[in-house]
Amino acid sequence: MKIMVPNEKGITEIKLDWNSLYGKLKKGTYRIVKDKDFVTLYSDPFEVK
């Protein structure tokens, strides 16, 4: 498992390829949720421009 470390501005970037699951995402705001054993570990919106 790769440990994610924020940069000097406190931002952690994760590049994800959704094409295999959803095809190309249309412009808009989406939310990514990471959970384990029914507990949300992370939830944040992101924008596709």
Side-chain angles (χ1 to χ4, degrees), residues 26-44:
K26 295 179 182 178
K27 291 181 183 180
T29 302
Y30 298 83
R31 177 172 295 276
I32 186 168
V33 178
K34 302 278 274 175
D35 51 303
K36 181 179 180 185
D37 300 327
F38 304 104
V39 175
T40 299
L41 303 174
Y42 175 85
S43 173
D44 206 23

Side-chain angles (χ1 to χ4, degrees), residues 7 12 15 17 21-22 25-26 38 40 44:
N7 66 17
T12 301
K15 294 188 184 231
D17 181 7
L21 293 172
Y22 304 106
L25 295 177
K26 295 179 182 178
F38 304 104
T40 299
D44 206 23

Side-chain angles (χ1 to χ4, degrees), residues 4-14 42 44:
M4 306 303 282
V5 179
N7 66 17
E8 64 279 350
K9 294 181 181 178
I11 297 172
T12 301
E13 290 189 48
I14 302 170
Y42 175 85
D44 206 23

